[in-house]
Amino acid sequence: MAELLQMESTEETESGNHTLLTEFVLSGLSSRPELQHLLFFTFCLVYTLTVVGNLLICVVTVHPTLCTSMYFFLRVLAFLDVSTASTVVPKMLVSFLSEDRSILYMSCATQLYCVIFFGATEWYLLAAMAYDRYVAICNPLRYTVIMNARVCLSLVLLSCCSGNVVSVVQTAWVFTMPFCGPRKINHFSCDIPPLILLSCTDTSLYEKQMVAATVLVIFTPFCLILVSYACIISSILKISSAESRHKTFSTCSSHLIVVILYCASGTLNYLRPNSRNSQDTKKVVAVIYTTIIPMLNPLIYSLRNKEVREVLIVTMAVLVKK
């Protein structure tokens, strides 16, 4: 892959001369100088909450009372959230305080690969979590047999492998396009929509491929999730006790909230990758799925889950006593 990323497609034209493109320049989230310090402290707080919240989820869900597959998937989700934010936010924070917003060509490729890998893997993981909830609610007597440790680990590995394939293909495709225009990326990170705008070749074929990839990564898991939840809702409606129905639906609603947030932001960002008029909108959307959702996930899953709340309270009490 390194050979693909270092091909002669990295040439740019400046006054008729071809020079090797060794770096890009990120425009950042905002060009207004008076907002830079405010944005720095805001996203520094967001990143801190993201890391602390997701690490707490990882620590809390290893408790013996939370040893089911649902909490195993939740730990993996927390790890992916921290990884996604850590790929983007540190560079963003530096850009708020520094006039030098350059990023090396290979660093840009690596960042793009990581963003796509963690994002795609998370989508497939969300589909696995929906299947886990389907088994737990629609086939509760065989839940521990069907969703054993081997099956859970296999689903996570399959999600990672699928995410890796998507990421390698997308990153290689983008960075084998010739960049011969301006080297300034109208974004706070290396992402597909602003990068393909810098290409001096026809990107229509890539746009079609991007739509196909969006369908594969977002809509295919989303359809599987919808099917799972259609079966789940059908089973919930058959429960006679209103309290049991509410409790069962509550365990699923958190997952649905996350799925809807990811689906909306991912669709807005990648279905029209070459739209020049919506680059500022795409920045806002990218902020949502790379920083805001990873911060909200611990709140969504912990505050709406009684078991997690109870273990978290006990854990915090033990830490305070120490």
Side-chain angles (χ1 to χ4, degrees), residues 9-74:
S9 61
T10 58
E11 294 181 348
E12 65 175 354
T13 304
E14 293 181 355
S15 304
N17 297 321
H18 292 276
T19 58
L20 184 65
L21 180 62
T22 59
E23 65 180 21
F24 293 101
V25 176
L26 298 169
S27 67
L29 188 60
S30 173
S31 58
R32 297 174 61 181
E34 67 273 16
L35 293 179
Q36 300 308 305
H37 286 86
L38 176 61
L39 289 172
F40 172 82
F41 287 113
T42 299
F43 282 95
C44 188
L45 176 62
V46 168
Y47 183 60
T48 302
L49 292 175
T50 300
V51 173
V52 172
N54 283 287
L55 288 180
L56 274 176
I57 290 292
C58 291
V59 171
V60 168
T61 53
V62 297
H63 194 274
T65 61
L66 304 177
C67 60
T68 64
S69 56
M70 180 177 73
Y71 297 108
F72 170 73
F73 289 131
L74 189 55

Side-chain angles (χ1 to χ4, degrees), residues 81-100:
D81 283 336
V82 171
S83 300
T84 300
S86 298
T87 300
V88 173
V89 179
K91 180 65 179 177
M92 185 197 300
L93 293 176
V94 171
S95 70
F96 290 141
L97 302 180
S98 174
E99 294 182 0
D100 181 13

Side-chain angles (χ1 to χ4, degrees), residues 158-227:
L158 181 61
S159 299
C160 292
C161 290
S162 301
N164 182 63
V165 171
V166 172
S167 185
V168 168
V169 171
Q170 295 297 315
T171 305
W173 195 310
V174 170
F175 280 89
T176 50
M177 292 191 300
F179 297 111
C180 49
R183 63 191 182 101
K184 186 174 183 179
I185 301 174
N186 184 21
H187 211 271
F188 57 84
S189 68
C190 291
D191 203 0
I192 293 175
L195 275 170
I196 66 173
L197 291 178
L198 303 184
S199 176
C200 58
T201 190
D202 182 19
T203 61
S204 58
L205 179 61
Y206 183 81
E207 294 165 33
K208 295 177 182 178
Q209 184 267 349
M210 189 67 233
V211 172
T214 302
V215 171
L216 178 65
V217 175
I218 296 179
F219 287 107
T220 301
F222 184 67
C223 289
L224 294 174
I225 292 169
L226 287 182
V227 171

Side-chain angles (χ1 to χ4, degrees), residues 236-285:
I236 291 175
L237 294 177
K238 295 177 182 178
I239 299 175
S240 57
S241 170
E243 184 180 351
S244 297
R245 285 200 303 268
H246 179 269
K247 182 180 179 180
T248 304
F249 185 76
S250 179
T251 62
C252 301
S253 58
S254 300
H255 185 247
L256 276 175
I257 292 171
V258 174
V259 168
I260 292 170
L261 288 173
Y262 269 118
C263 185
S265 57
T267 301
L268 288 172
N269 197 54
Y270 292 113
L271 270 186
R272 295 184 62 197
N274 71 329
S275 177
R276 294 179 180 273
N277 296 328
S278 61
Q279 288 307 301
D280 289 338
T281 302
K282 289 183 184 296
K283 285 185 186 182
V284 176
V285 172

Side-chain angles (χ1 to χ4, degrees), residues 1-10 105-106 109 172 175-176:
M1 179 177 173
E3 293 178 357
L4 288 172
L5 298 177
Q6 292 175 342
M7 290 178 66
E8 292 182 357
S9 61
T10 58
Y105 183 84
M106 286 301 297
F175 280 89
T176 50

